[in-house]
């Protein structure tokens, strides 16, 4: 069912073939990684522009950063490559407006790992991708899965936008949280997801377990838990730890905002542990993971909890190119019988892809 997608022209091929000037929209780490890929392919970027509020006379990679109006005055037509992540409605609408006026690509660059989701990657992993597709429980998930692969190959927003749905839909129609949930939040950031959890359960819960590796974010997590009136509380346990498959000391690369990535050779040392080690046989009814590319290791570290208690699952499936198929297959191996769904919340590029698992007929 996925093999026809191999014939889609990739964004990288289009950018190699175009005769139009290529301009990069955005700066920062995402732009660095896209420029690296383009340079590897021998593709030159003519200019760089930013939203008007971000143009302050700076340069990026030796080029003066311009406003869009200046780019439009220089070139009759051009190709835009977006190079930043955004989820606010106004900026996404502006990008979609540009997509209607110009040839625009939003390349899929993994947050973690080195595998680029191109034709060669899909061909190499086609059988696993097909197997993961067969595990998805509803037509919506299967269509989202196919459209996401089409987007990852082509970088075209027409494939990405069709995959969006709201958080409300996921929680109300699939997760259906109740007042007696035991919630494990791996990658708790500053407590925002705990606050959302409490809002959806009317402030009622059985237990809350939360892990956050970044020290500053952990302090914010504790403060927010205090403000919410749930900490200190014997039902709530918070750890300044990275979610992993066992006790370990890891190299950790903190970044601005939510993103903090376990790095192979750089960054500060942080302690890590598994959920299974921390909670033993204590029950969990809702398990959420957003651990910036460490999801596979964190799932291994929660395997006993998943087998014993079969919690509702909400696992980020976008940090690594292989996550889209590897994580559903991993859950299927650990505990067959889960009904797996794929939902993606609004973001450009393909961030906020969530693998949702409901045990058996619980849905």
């Amino acid at each position: 069912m996925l093999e026809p997608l191999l014939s889609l022209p990739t964004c990288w091929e289009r950018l190699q073939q175009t005769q139009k000037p290529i301009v990069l929209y955005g700066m920062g780490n995402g732009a660095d990684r896209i420029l690296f890929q383009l340079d590897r392919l021998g593709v030159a970027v003519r200019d760089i522009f930013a939203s008007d509020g971000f143009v302050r006379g700076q340069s990026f990679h030796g080029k003066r950063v311009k406003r869009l109006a200046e780019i439009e005055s220089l070139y009759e037509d051009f190709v835009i490559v977006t190079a930043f992540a955004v989820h606010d409605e106004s900026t996404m609408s502006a990008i979609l407006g540009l997509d209607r006026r110009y040839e625009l690509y939003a390349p899929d660059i993994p947050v973690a790992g080195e595998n680029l989701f191109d034709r060669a990657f899909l061909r190499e992993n086609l059988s696993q991708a097909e197997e993961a597709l067969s595990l998805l429980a509803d037509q919506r998930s299967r269509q989202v899965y196919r459209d996401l692969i089409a987007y990852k190959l082509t970088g075209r927003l027409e494939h990405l936008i069709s995959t969006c749905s709201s958080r409300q839909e996921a929680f109300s129609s699939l997760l259906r949280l109740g007042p007696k949930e035991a919630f494990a939040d791996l990658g708790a950031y500053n407590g925002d997801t705990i606050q959302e959890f409490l809002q959806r359960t009317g402030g009622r819960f059985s237990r809350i377990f939360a892990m956050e590796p970044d020290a500053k974010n952990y302090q914010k997590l504790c403060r927010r838990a205090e403000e919410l009136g749930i900490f200190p509380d014997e039902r709530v346990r918070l750890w300044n730890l990275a979610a992993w498959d066992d006790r370990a000391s890891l190299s950790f690369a903190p970044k601005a905002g939510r993103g903090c990535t376990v790095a192979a050779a750089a960054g500060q040392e942080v302690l890590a542990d598994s959920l299974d080690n921390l909670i033993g046989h204590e029950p969990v009814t809702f398990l959420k993971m957003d651990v910036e590319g460490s999801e596979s290791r964190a799932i291994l570290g929660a395997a006993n909890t998943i087998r014993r208690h079969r919690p509702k699952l909400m696992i980020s499936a976008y940090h690594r190119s292989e996550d889209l198929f590897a994580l559903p297959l991993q859950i299927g191996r650990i505990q067959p019988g889960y009904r797996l769904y794929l939902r993606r919340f609004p973001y450009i590029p393909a961030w906020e892809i969530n693998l949702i698992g409901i045990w058996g007929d619980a849905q």
Side-chain angles (χ1 to χ4, degrees), residues 162-268:
S162 65
T163 67
C164 284
S165 57
S166 69
R167 295 182 71 88
Q168 178 60 33
E169 184 271 337
F171 278 94
S172 63
S173 67
L174 296 175
L175 291 165
R176 299 179 182 176
L177 302 182
K180 297 181 180 180
E181 304 286 355
F183 177 35
D185 188 355
L186 310 191
Y189 185 41
N190 64 7
D192 58 345
T193 44
I194 290 177
Q195 182 169 350
E196 179 186 38
F197 165 76
L198 293 172
Q199 289 169 346
R200 295 188 182 278
T201 64
R204 294 174 292 175
F205 64 94
S206 171
R207 298 297 303 272
I208 292 176
F209 307 105
M211 301 175 69
E212 170 53 45
D214 181 72
K216 290 182 179 179
N217 287 339
Y218 176 73
Q219 291 173 1
K220 294 176 184 177
L221 166 65
C222 293
R223 283 199 299 270
R224 184 173 295 202
E226 290 173 5
E227 292 166 2
L228 292 169
I230 63 166
F231 190 71
D233 185 314
E234 63 180 10
R235 299 172 299 165
V236 177
R237 297 167 67 185
L238 312 177
W239 294 283
N240 184 196
L241 293 168
W244 204 242
D245 58 2
D246 206 346
R247 293 182 182 88
S249 179
L250 306 172
S251 187
F252 183 75
K255 298 179 285 187
R258 178 177 288 277
C260 298
T261 306
V262 173
Q268 62 195 54

Side-chain angles (χ1 to χ4, degrees), residues 14 46 58 60 62 70 104 109 125 157 173 211 216 225 232 236 238 241 245 263 279 292 314 337:
R14 291 290 199 193
R46 190 79 61 89
Q58 68 267 54
F60 188 69
E70 191 173 354
L104 182 146
I109 300 290
N125 295 284
L157 295 181
S173 67
M211 301 175 69
K216 290 182 179 179
V236 177
L238 312 177
L241 293 168
D245 58 2
I279 69 172
E292 301 299 322
M314 186 173 177

Side-chain angles (χ1 to χ4, degrees), residues 86 92 140 144 148 151-152 157 159-167 169-170 318 341-356:
V86 60
M92 287 197 296
R140 174 62 180 161
V144 166
L148 281 172
Y151 162 73
K152 286 172 174 286
L157 295 181
H159 299 298
L160 183 64
I161 299 307
S162 65
T163 67
C164 284
S165 57
S166 69
R167 295 182 71 88
E169 184 271 337
Y318 66 91
Y341 302 84
L342 205 63
R343 294 294 187 267
R344 194 184 79 83
F345 308 143
Y347 230 111
I348 297 175
W351 291 12
E352 283 294 332
I353 301 170
N354 292 276
L355 178 66
I356 294 173

Side-chain angles (χ1 to χ4, degrees), residues 37-333:
Q37 295 296 336
L38 293 175
D39 184 63
R40 185 176 64 85
L41 296 169
V43 176
V45 167
R46 190 79 61 89
D47 265 305
I48 298 172
F49 76 97
S51 302
D52 288 357
F54 292 90
V55 178
R56 303 183 183 90
Q58 68 267 54
S59 64
F60 188 69
H61 284 257
K63 297 181 184 295
R64 180 174 64 84
V65 178
K66 299 178 172 65
R67 289 180 170 83
L68 176 61
E70 191 173 354
I71 298 293
E72 291 174 324
S73 71
L74 288 172
Y75 309 112
E76 183 176 345
D77 195 13
F78 48 90
V79 176
I80 298 174
V81 178
T82 63
F84 60 98
V86 60
H87 64 92
D88 70 276
E89 234 177 86
S90 61
T91 308
M92 287 197 296
S93 293
I95 293 173
L96 290 171
L98 290 174
D99 186 52
R100 290 189 290 270
R101 292 160 54 195
Y102 300 103
E103 185 179 352
L104 182 146
Y105 299 96
D108 182 73
I109 300 290
V111 176
E114 302 301 322
N115 289 323
L116 198 64
F117 204 116
D118 56 14
R119 185 181 291 108
F121 179 82
L122 178 58
R123 183 181 291 114
E124 181 182 349
N125 295 284
L126 188 61
S127 62
Q128 292 185 74
E130 294 273 16
E131 185 180 356
L133 175 62
S134 73
L135 295 179
L136 297 178
D138 67 347
Q139 179 57 34
R140 174 62 180 161
S141 297
R142 293 187 287 271
Q143 189 60 54
V144 166
Y145 189 87
R146 287 188 288 265
D147 287 349
L148 281 172
I149 291 176
Y151 162 73
K152 286 172 174 286
L153 291 170
T154 67
R156 298 308 301 264
L157 295 181
E158 63 198 72
H159 299 298
L160 183 64
I161 299 307
S162 65
T163 67
C164 284
S165 57
S166 69
R167 295 182 71 88
Q168 178 60 33
E169 184 271 337
F171 278 94
S172 63
S173 67
L174 296 175
L175 291 165
R176 299 179 182 176
L177 302 182
K180 297 181 180 180
E181 304 286 355
F183 177 35
D185 188 355
L186 310 191
Y189 185 41
N190 64 7
D192 58 345
T193 44
I194 290 177
Q195 182 169 350
E196 179 186 38
F197 165 76
L198 293 172
Q199 289 169 346
R200 295 188 182 278
T201 64
R204 294 174 292 175
F205 64 94
S206 171
R207 298 297 303 272
I208 292 176
F209 307 105
M211 301 175 69
E212 170 53 45
D214 181 72
K216 290 182 179 179
N217 287 339
Y218 176 73
Q219 291 173 1
K220 294 176 184 177
L221 166 65
C222 293
R223 283 199 299 270
R224 184 173 295 202
E226 290 173 5
E227 292 166 2
L228 292 169
I230 63 166
F231 190 71
D233 185 314
E234 63 180 10
R235 299 172 299 165
V236 177
R237 297 167 67 185
L238 312 177
W239 294 283
N240 184 196
L241 293 168
W244 204 242
D245 58 2
D246 206 346
R247 293 182 182 88
S249 179
L250 306 172
S251 187
F252 183 75
K255 298 179 285 187
R258 178 177 288 277
C260 298
T261 306
V262 173
Q268 62 195 54
E269 293 298 309
V270 297
L271 296 177
D273 209 338
S274 70
L275 182 66
D276 288 342
N277 284 342
L278 292 171
I279 69 172
H281 287 235
E282 293 189 65
V284 169
T285 65
F286 176 37
L287 172 58
K288 167 256 168 184
M289 292 186 189
D290 185 353
V291 290
E292 301 299 322
S294 300
E295 280 77 11
S296 179
R297 302 296 288 263
I299 289 170
L300 284 176
N304 290 334
T305 297
I306 292 170
R307 291 190 189 103
R308 286 191 191 107
H309 306 295
R310 297 163 184 169
K312 302 166 190 175
L313 305 173
M314 186 173 177
I315 300 172
S316 291
Y318 66 91
H319 295 109
R320 296 178 182 272
S321 289
E322 57 269 30
D323 284 349
L324 197 59
F325 53 84
L327 299 184
L329 294 177
Q330 185 178 15
I331 295 298
R333 288 192 301 270

